[in-house]
Amino acid sequence: MTREPTVAEQSHPNYVKVWGVLVALLAVSVVGPMFEIKLVTLVTAFGVAILKAYLVARNFMHLHIERRYVTYLLVGMVALMLLLFAGVAPDVMKHEGHQWKNEAAQKVVRDAAPAAKVH
Amino acid sequence: MLTRYVEAASSYAQDIDGLITLITVLVGFWFLVAQAVLFGLIFRFRAKQGVKAQYISGEEKSQKRWVTIPHMLVLVCDVFIIVGAVRVWTDVKQTLPPADHTVRIVSQQWAWTFIQPGPDGKLDTEDDIKTIDELHVKEGATYHFQLLSRDVLHSFSVPAFRLKQDAVPGRLITGWFKPTRPGAYDIQCAEICGIGHGIMAARLFVETPEEHQKWMEKLSPVARAPTPQAEAEQENTPPAEGASAGAGAE
Amino acid sequence: MSASAPAGTDSSAPHGHPEEGFFRKYLWSTDHKIIAMQYLLTGMAMALIGGFTVYAFRMQVAFPGESVPGFGQVTPGAYNALVTSHGTVMIFWVAMPVLIAAFGNYLIPLMIGCDDMVFPRLNRLSYQIFLLSAVVFIATFFVDGGAFGGAWTAYPPLSTKPEYSLTPLGAPLWLIAVALEFVAFLIGGINFVTTVMNSRAPGMKMFDVPIVVWMIIAASILFMASIGPLIAGAMMMLMDQLAGTHFYDPTQGGDPVLWQHLFWFFGHPEVYVVLFPALGIVAEVITVFARKKLFAYKTVLYTAIGTCVLSFFVWAHHQFVAGIDPRMANVFSVTTLLISVPIAEMLFVFIATLYGGSIRLATPMLWALAFLVEFLLGGVTGIFLGASAADIYFHDTYFVVAHFHYTFFPIAFIAVFAGLTYWFPKMFGRMMNETLGKIHFWGTVIPFNFIFIPLFITGASGDHRRIYNYNHFPDLARPELQDLRVLATVALVVLLAFQLVFLVNFFWSMRKGRKAEANPWKANTLEWAAASPPPHGNFAELPTVYRGPYEYSVPDRPDDYWPQHMPG
Amino acid sequence: MKPIATTRSATGIPTGRLAVWWVMASEIVIFGGLLAAYVMHRLGHPEWSNQAIHTNTWLGALNTLVLLTSSLFAVLAHQAAEHGEGRKAARLLLATAGGALVFLVVKSFEWSHEIAAGYTLTSNTFWSFYYTAAGLHAVHVIAGLVIMLVVAADAAKNRELQRVELIGLYWHFVDIVWIFLFPLLYIAK
């Protein structure tokens, strides 16, 4: 079943170059956290991860030339996960709240050896 | 309105019953209107010989008004209910009035254990009074309860008090109630907790201050006697986490 | 969006099929209609199990301690297993397969004018995984320790620790069965959505698609979006049960409340997943039997999409008193009361459709109208539970049970009977018997109210759910409450008995019913353009669509219907 | 013999690709649910960094590099398939599959060392999440590997060339999941 040449034919990014950028970003995300600075770690590790995900999605998955609602669908699902996190974190992440205390979890945190360095 | 089915024996029972009455009125009105319109239309527009149905797209403003106006009114009723609900909820679940007494409620697979401070008024002291499946409280006093579970989810539910709070293993949940009518009321478990869930019945006795005092004296001197003392001692260590497997009913 | 495939290939005669034996034709078929029948019959068989389990434990509640005829002595462990199995079977193995998979598989290709689903083999695979899940679930009754007894919500630690649930094999098997069912519906859902998005008949624009197809698609998308976290949660629970991890054990860094959140994040969209197909069926039946255009088609569509989005913001109203932070309850109470508004609007639209109609009370229409009547009470009593403070009293009482039966019973039975009696002529080429239909209708709807109105009252009086024997509670052992429980059980037995009338009518008419022509109800949608029952490949000539599905009683036209595929 | 339904494309997106987007949407919420649960627990238990120290960041980084390269081969295979060069697409798909194999080898090497050092699935809830998340991802890598070999076999005979793009899309998704798993499991020390 031959495919008629899609409009993507012309706007194919140079894949090897994109790959190079991704590898460079990988190096950044490995080196960054070595400085033990919390903010630097956050930016290099997680910021870079989001950037790499964007590059793969845009250039390798051709989302930039795909129908717009496909991107809305995928981003919508990610937003749903943030909503889940927002709704559940006050109960699971925190071990204390309004008129309740998660004593067992607090005990687990207290008993563990003091963290070498707080992440 | 709810008191026709269950007694109101705590201070906030009236607030919750009032909210339920408000909801019944608002929701009942819309229910009856909708049913009346529905049956009216069925009867009015039943198939008659030679009468064709009308062609109404419902897209024009004038036609859609028939749906959007009730739609808005329902929204307005919802706002009233929300305001009522949030107000009562903050009184019952989000504020802790100063406590005259505190009781620790320990739920486990298939029994309720109540630990009340003895005459010295402080928990975790020798003279604590520990009762199984029986809770004696004084009418008119504000009680804080510390609710915890030793094994699975349970739920401390006193219908007469309009009180319900799940006991989650690992969590200590505080709440309050203030008994207002002497009498004996049911305590039920409202969260399925295994084969004994249906037999986890306990009784809650609301006594006048004098009766309560008599009960306290009757129990605490007896509690001085060695045997229950040692037993109370052993039981009284703060609730061990990771409770022993499936402790049978006391 | 014109169809890119050239029209020529569309109208070619459907590809012929070599003559197939019984196995290939019925058990190994990739024809969407056969797969729909497989889902329907499996769903009906599981409904018998669901019916039997509720009979057994209701008899125990009404006549505590006595041996139940047909079951024997109901022990506390058996009671919990029966309650759990009733809930699980009725939602996962009756409501979802019949409403989404059976009606979806049967109607979608026919109503959008194409010959089959886009992935026929994947469609067959999803049924086979579903059948496997049903078999695994039935196996839980026979493993030692008995079936899982921790309610269909399977809250840990009761569900993860065998020493608490006392069903070491029942719990993991239950979870595996439910997980398999999720996989089946994930695969099925993707098939449905892709088919409707891509394979609509030429000329069928977005607003020419019948509401029932839209609703089944909305249900599939809602299911796919909400099931993810629960699949992750189920995997974590399975490892807690079998591999000894501690995801839900608070003393080892886990949290039981996490499962409740993951479960209800799926749980509430799930009730709309089963509600939407039912609303779609009711919309189709009402418009045909009132000979009226659906009132405000776009409003129904946008309200449905609005409900889908809003349904992800309400889940914690199941957990007001479950140990979540009380401040969160206010947020969820507001969103819960807001979501009752679009549902109310959809019901208003269906009622408004009746205005100016010419209503013929054939059996399908009776069922559709009964759905509106009963579902109104179901929706209305939800407000009591959505208001956080009132839920303190009503949570986990029989008031909640009565509320969700006034929504689930119309969804899973009344709407399904409306759909079955309406599409029976298309499925089997024969009409169902009207008198038997009416006997079954009144014999179901009247007892149904006599079951759950008493349960509203016992619930308001303090009856809690899943209690084995109410005599243990002095306040509840009052004779007038016990009479209500007995009344509910007797009404249940009457209701179950009348279902025999339906089974007789269903299987007898399949062979002996009056012959039905292609369009017995004079409806507009495309499935009535095919023969009854449609051959493999559905249409002799694939239809082209010229107008919307609800052009009934168009002024200055001789007959009061105008099929979608009829040119100008 | 496909039904006519599969050939239609009212949305302009070929049916296969449309289905893959929907598969990806449901995979996002599955991995999303698991990672949300992990992040919540991780932020709630700062002491887990005592456990997280023992994850081998270098092997994680190597695996990320392997998957990125494998993704490159996948998109080159898709480009070849678009030009109708079935044999070239098949060879590139095999290279992608090779990347998957290397990934699995590195992971099994990494896991065997961690388990030997006593960090098993049940030793701590951090490790439970670590093995569950990375395990689920590994299962997806294996599934992608198998499908890739089947698609490559067809592509070599110039049949079903559009499937090269579909398996490529799935593979990029598996790569993106690992792009997020890497910092969460390996860098958050």
Side-chain angles (χ1 to χ4, degrees), chain B residues 178-199:
Chain B
K178 179 171 156 195
T180 52
R181 245 161 61 96
Y185 307 103
D186 270 345
I187 295 172
Q188 298 183 48
C189 175
E191 192 62 59
I192 190 158
C193 55
I195 61 172
H197 168 66
I199 51 172

PDB file of all heavy atoms in Angstrom, chain B residues 178-199:
ATOM      1  N   LYS B 178     -20.912  16.329  71.369  1.00  0.00           N
ATOM      2  CA  LYS B 178     -21.421  16.792  72.660  1.00  0.00           C
ATOM      3  C   LYS B 178     -22.808  16.178  72.841  1.00  0.00           C
ATOM      4  O   LYS B 178     -23.765  16.603  72.186  1.00  0.00           O
ATOM      5  CB  LYS B 178     -21.523  18.335  72.660  1.00  0.00           C
ATOM      6  CG  LYS B 178     -22.055  18.926  73.943  1.00  0.00           C
ATOM      7  CD  LYS B 178     -21.903  20.449  73.898  1.00  0.00           C
ATOM      8  CE  LYS B 178     -22.908  21.114  74.828  1.00  0.00           C
ATOM      9  NZ  LYS B 178     -23.019  22.542  74.548  1.00  0.00           N
ATOM     10  N   PRO B 179     -22.886  15.150  73.717  1.00  0.00           N
ATOM     11  CA  PRO B 179     -24.182  14.482  73.923  1.00  0.00           C
ATOM     12  C   PRO B 179     -25.183  15.446  74.551  1.00  0.00           C
ATOM     13  O   PRO B 179     -24.809  16.258  75.399  1.00  0.00           O
ATOM     14  CB  PRO B 179     -23.861  13.344  74.882  1.00  0.00           C
ATOM     15  CG  PRO B 179     -22.383  13.319  75.052  1.00  0.00           C
ATOM     16  CD  PRO B 179     -21.841  14.622  74.607  1.00  0.00           C
ATOM     17  N   THR B 180     -26.429  15.375  74.138  1.00  0.00           N
ATOM     18  CA  THR B 180     -27.426  16.295  74.698  1.00  0.00           C
ATOM     19  C   THR B 180     -28.632  15.541  75.263  1.00  0.00           C
ATOM     20  O   THR B 180     -29.427  16.133  75.975  1.00  0.00           O
ATOM     21  CB  THR B 180     -27.959  17.224  73.577  1.00  0.00           C
ATOM     22  OG1 THR B 180     -28.373  16.367  72.500  1.00  0.00           O
ATOM     23  CG2 THR B 180     -26.893  18.188  73.094  1.00  0.00           C
ATOM     24  N   ARG B 181     -28.798  14.265  74.976  1.00  0.00           N
ATOM     25  CA  ARG B 181     -29.985  13.555  75.485  1.00  0.00           C
ATOM     26  C   ARG B 181     -29.534  12.254  76.153  1.00  0.00           C
ATOM     27  O   ARG B 181     -28.871  11.440  75.497  1.00  0.00           O
ATOM     28  CB  ARG B 181     -30.911  13.203  74.315  1.00  0.00           C
ATOM     29  CG  ARG B 181     -32.282  13.927  74.359  1.00  0.00           C
ATOM     30  CD  ARG B 181     -32.891  13.879  72.980  1.00  0.00           C
ATOM     31  NE  ARG B 181     -33.105  12.477  72.573  1.00  0.00           N
ATOM     32  CZ  ARG B 181     -34.288  11.859  72.720  1.00  0.00           C
ATOM     33  NH1 ARG B 181     -35.285  12.498  73.285  1.00  0.00           N
ATOM     34  NH2 ARG B 181     -34.437  10.613  72.332  1.00  0.00           N
ATOM     35  N   PRO B 182     -29.876  12.090  77.437  1.00  0.00           N
ATOM     36  CA  PRO B 182     -29.496  10.812  78.084  1.00  0.00           C
ATOM     37  C   PRO B 182     -30.178   9.651  77.373  1.00  0.00           C
ATOM     38  O   PRO B 182     -31.236   9.813  76.751  1.00  0.00           O
ATOM     39  CB  PRO B 182     -30.034  10.970  79.514  1.00  0.00           C
ATOM     40  CG  PRO B 182     -30.362  12.410  79.683  1.00  0.00           C
ATOM     41  CD  PRO B 182     -30.627  12.967  78.343  1.00  0.00           C
ATOM     42  N   GLY B 183     -29.531   8.510  77.425  1.00  0.00           N
ATOM     43  CA  GLY B 183     -30.134   7.314  76.811  1.00  0.00           C
ATOM     44  C   GLY B 183     -29.029   6.384  76.340  1.00  0.00           C
ATOM     45  O   GLY B 183     -27.847   6.670  76.509  1.00  0.00           O
ATOM     46  N   ALA B 184     -29.437   5.280  75.726  1.00  0.00           N
ATOM     47  CA  ALA B 184     -28.442   4.321  75.215  1.00  0.00           C
ATOM     48  C   ALA B 184     -28.586   4.273  73.704  1.00  0.00           C
ATOM     49  O   ALA B 184     -29.702   4.191  73.172  1.00  0.00           O
ATOM     50  CB  ALA B 184     -28.710   2.932  75.791  1.00  0.00           C
ATOM     51  N   TYR B 185     -27.465   4.392  73.011  1.00  0.00           N
ATOM     52  CA  TYR B 185     -27.520   4.468  71.542  1.00  0.00           C
ATOM     53  C   TYR B 185     -26.550   3.462  70.943  1.00  0.00           C
ATOM     54  O   TYR B 185     -25.564   3.063  71.568  1.00  0.00           O
ATOM     55  CB  TYR B 185     -27.167   5.892  71.063  1.00  0.00           C
ATOM     56  CG  TYR B 185     -28.006   6.958  71.730  1.00  0.00           C
ATOM     57  CD1 TYR B 185     -27.479   7.742  72.750  1.00  0.00           C
ATOM     58  CD2 TYR B 185     -29.344   7.131  71.367  1.00  0.00           C
ATOM     59  CE1 TYR B 185     -28.262   8.698  73.391  1.00  0.00           C
ATOM     60  CE2 TYR B 185     -30.132   8.086  71.997  1.00  0.00           C
ATOM     61  CZ  TYR B 185     -29.591   8.876  73.014  1.00  0.00           C
ATOM     62  OH  TYR B 185     -30.363   9.809  73.645  1.00  0.00           O
ATOM     63  N   ASP B 186     -26.817   3.103  69.672  1.00  0.00           N
ATOM     64  CA  ASP B 186     -25.971   2.133  68.984  1.00  0.00           C
ATOM     65  C   ASP B 186     -24.674   2.776  68.493  1.00  0.00           C
ATOM     66  O   ASP B 186     -24.666   3.929  68.073  1.00  0.00           O
ATOM     67  CB  ASP B 186     -26.695   1.644  67.712  1.00  0.00           C
ATOM     68  CG  ASP B 186     -27.542   0.425  68.015  1.00  0.00           C
ATOM     69  OD1 ASP B 186     -27.322  -0.169  69.098  1.00  0.00           O
ATOM     70  OD2 ASP B 186     -28.422   0.101  67.206  1.00  0.00           O
ATOM     71  N   ILE B 187     -23.598   1.987  68.552  1.00  0.00           N
ATOM     72  CA  ILE B 187     -22.371   2.343  67.804  1.00  0.00           C
ATOM     73  C   ILE B 187     -22.209   1.263  66.747  1.00  0.00           C
ATOM     74  O   ILE B 187     -22.258   0.065  67.059  1.00  0.00           O
ATOM     75  CB  ILE B 187     -21.139   2.370  68.745  1.00  0.00           C
ATOM     76  CG1 ILE B 187     -21.305   3.498  69.777  1.00  0.00           C
ATOM     77  CG2 ILE B 187     -19.844   2.529  67.967  1.00  0.00           C
ATOM     78  CD1 ILE B 187     -20.237   3.480  70.857  1.00  0.00           C
ATOM     79  N   GLN B 188     -22.067   1.661  65.506  1.00  0.00           N
ATOM     80  CA  GLN B 188     -21.930   0.668  64.433  1.00  0.00           C
ATOM     81  C   GLN B 188     -20.604   0.876  63.717  1.00  0.00           C
ATOM     82  O   GLN B 188     -20.060   1.993  63.716  1.00  0.00           O
ATOM     83  CB  GLN B 188     -23.059   0.841  63.402  1.00  0.00           C
ATOM     84  CG  GLN B 188     -24.455   0.633  63.957  1.00  0.00           C
ATOM     85  CD  GLN B 188     -25.496   0.753  62.852  1.00  0.00           C
ATOM     86  OE1 GLN B 188     -25.349   0.163  61.790  1.00  0.00           O
ATOM     87  NE2 GLN B 188     -26.532   1.525  63.095  1.00  0.00           N
ATOM     88  N   CYS B 189     -20.122  -0.182  63.029  1.00  0.00           N
ATOM     89  CA  CYS B 189     -18.946  -0.017  62.167  1.00  0.00           C
ATOM     90  C   CYS B 189     -19.486   0.235  60.765  1.00  0.00           C
ATOM     91  O   CYS B 189     -20.280  -0.554  60.244  1.00  0.00           O
ATOM     92  CB  CYS B 189     -18.096  -1.285  62.183  1.00  0.00           C
ATOM     93  SG  CYS B 189     -16.719  -1.146  61.022  1.00  0.00           S
ATOM     94  N   ALA B 190     -19.068   1.344  60.132  1.00  0.00           N
ATOM     95  CA  ALA B 190     -19.644   1.729  58.833  1.00  0.00           C
ATOM     96  C   ALA B 190     -18.691   1.423  57.687  1.00  0.00           C
ATOM     97  O   ALA B 190     -18.916   1.876  56.575  1.00  0.00           O
ATOM     98  CB  ALA B 190     -19.971   3.223  58.830  1.00  0.00           C
ATOM     99  N   GLU B 191     -17.619   0.688  57.921  1.00  0.00           N
ATOM    100  CA  GLU B 191     -16.702   0.367  56.801  1.00  0.00           C
ATOM    101  C   GLU B 191     -16.421  -1.126  56.893  1.00  0.00           C
ATOM    102  O   GLU B 191     -16.055  -1.620  57.965  1.00  0.00           O
ATOM    103  CB  GLU B 191     -15.390   1.168  56.950  1.00  0.00           C
ATOM    104  CG  GLU B 191     -14.507   1.140  55.725  1.00  0.00           C
ATOM    105  CD  GLU B 191     -15.165   1.773  54.493  1.00  0.00           C
ATOM    106  OE1 GLU B 191     -15.527   2.949  54.551  1.00  0.00           O
ATOM    107  OE2 GLU B 191     -15.363   1.040  53.509  1.00  0.00           O
ATOM    108  N   ILE B 192     -16.633  -1.839  55.790  1.00  0.00           N
ATOM    109  CA  ILE B 192     -16.521  -3.314  55.838  1.00  0.00           C
ATOM    110  C   ILE B 192     -15.135  -3.706  56.339  1.00  0.00           C
ATOM    111  O   ILE B 192     -14.119  -3.132  55.917  1.00  0.00           O
ATOM    112  CB  ILE B 192     -16.800  -3.921  54.445  1.00  0.00           C
ATOM    113  CG1 ILE B 192     -16.915  -5.445  54.556  1.00  0.00           C
ATOM    114  CG2 ILE B 192     -15.771  -3.517  53.411  1.00  0.00           C
ATOM    115  CD1 ILE B 192     -17.656  -6.094  53.445  1.00  0.00           C
ATOM    116  N   CYS B 193     -15.110  -4.591  57.321  1.00  0.00           N
ATOM    117  CA  CYS B 193     -13.815  -4.892  57.948  1.00  0.00           C
ATOM    118  C   CYS B 193     -13.658  -6.388  58.184  1.00  0.00           C
ATOM    119  O   CYS B 193     -13.081  -6.786  59.191  1.00  0.00           O
ATOM    120  CB  CYS B 193     -13.749  -4.147  59.291  1.00  0.00           C
ATOM    121  SG  CYS B 193     -15.134  -4.515  60.378  1.00  0.00           S
ATOM    122  N   GLY B 194     -14.214  -7.199  57.275  1.00  0.00           N
ATOM    123  CA  GLY B 194     -14.005  -8.638  57.424  1.00  0.00           C
ATOM    124  C   GLY B 194     -15.260  -9.331  57.937  1.00  0.00           C
ATOM    125  O   GLY B 194     -16.335  -8.739  57.997  1.00  0.00           O
ATOM    126  N   ILE B 195     -15.127 -10.589  58.316  1.00  0.00           N
ATOM    127  CA  ILE B 195     -16.341 -11.385  58.570  1.00  0.00           C
ATOM    128  C   ILE B 195     -17.077 -10.902  59.815  1.00  0.00           C
ATOM    129  O   ILE B 195     -18.281 -11.124  59.972  1.00  0.00           O
ATOM    130  CB  ILE B 195     -15.994 -12.881  58.693  1.00  0.00           C
ATOM    131  CG1 ILE B 195     -15.028 -13.131  59.850  1.00  0.00           C
ATOM    132  CG2 ILE B 195     -15.419 -13.424  57.405  1.00  0.00           C
ATOM    133  CD1 ILE B 195     -14.819 -14.613  60.116  1.00  0.00           C
ATOM    134  N   GLY B 196     -16.386 -10.183  60.724  1.00  0.00           N
ATOM    135  CA  GLY B 196     -17.078  -9.766  61.942  1.00  0.00           C
ATOM    136  C   GLY B 196     -17.681  -8.380  61.829  1.00  0.00           C
ATOM    137  O   GLY B 196     -18.150  -7.808  62.823  1.00  0.00           O
ATOM    138  N   HIS B 197     -17.693  -7.825  60.637  1.00  0.00           N
ATOM    139  CA  HIS B 197     -18.147  -6.428  60.470  1.00  0.00           C
ATOM    140  C   HIS B 197     -19.560  -6.248  61.012  1.00  0.00           C
ATOM    141  O   HIS B 197     -19.883  -5.222  61.614  1.00  0.00           O
ATOM    142  CB  HIS B 197     -18.079  -6.066  58.977  1.00  0.00           C
ATOM    143  CG  HIS B 197     -18.764  -4.788  58.601  1.00  0.00           C
ATOM    144  ND1 HIS B 197     -18.323  -3.564  59.038  1.00  0.00           N
ATOM    145  CD2 HIS B 197     -19.859  -4.546  57.848  1.00  0.00           C
ATOM    146  CE1 HIS B 197     -19.110  -2.623  58.553  1.00  0.00           C
ATOM    147  NE2 HIS B 197     -20.055  -3.183  57.840  1.00  0.00           N
ATOM    148  N   GLY B 198     -20.413  -7.319  60.817  1.00  0.00           N
ATOM    149  CA  GLY B 198     -21.816  -7.148  61.197  1.00  0.00           C
ATOM    150  C   GLY B 198     -22.064  -7.335  62.684  1.00  0.00           C
ATOM    151  O   GLY B 198     -23.129  -7.021  63.208  1.00  0.00           O
ATOM    152  N   ILE B 199     -21.045  -7.886  63.406  1.00  0.00           N
ATOM    153  CA  ILE B 199     -21.315  -8.142  64.834  1.00  0.00           C
ATOM    154  C   ILE B 199     -20.505  -7.201  65.711  1.00  0.00           C
ATOM    155  O   ILE B 199     -20.357  -7.392  66.905  1.00  0.00           O
ATOM    156  CB  ILE B 199     -20.968  -9.614  65.176  1.00  0.00           C
ATOM    157  CG1 ILE B 199     -19.545  -9.956  64.696  1.00  0.00           C
ATOM    158  CG2 ILE B 199     -21.958 -10.565  64.528  1.00  0.00           C
ATOM    159  CD1 ILE B 199     -19.088 -11.317  65.164  1.00  0.00           C
TER     160      ILE B 199
END
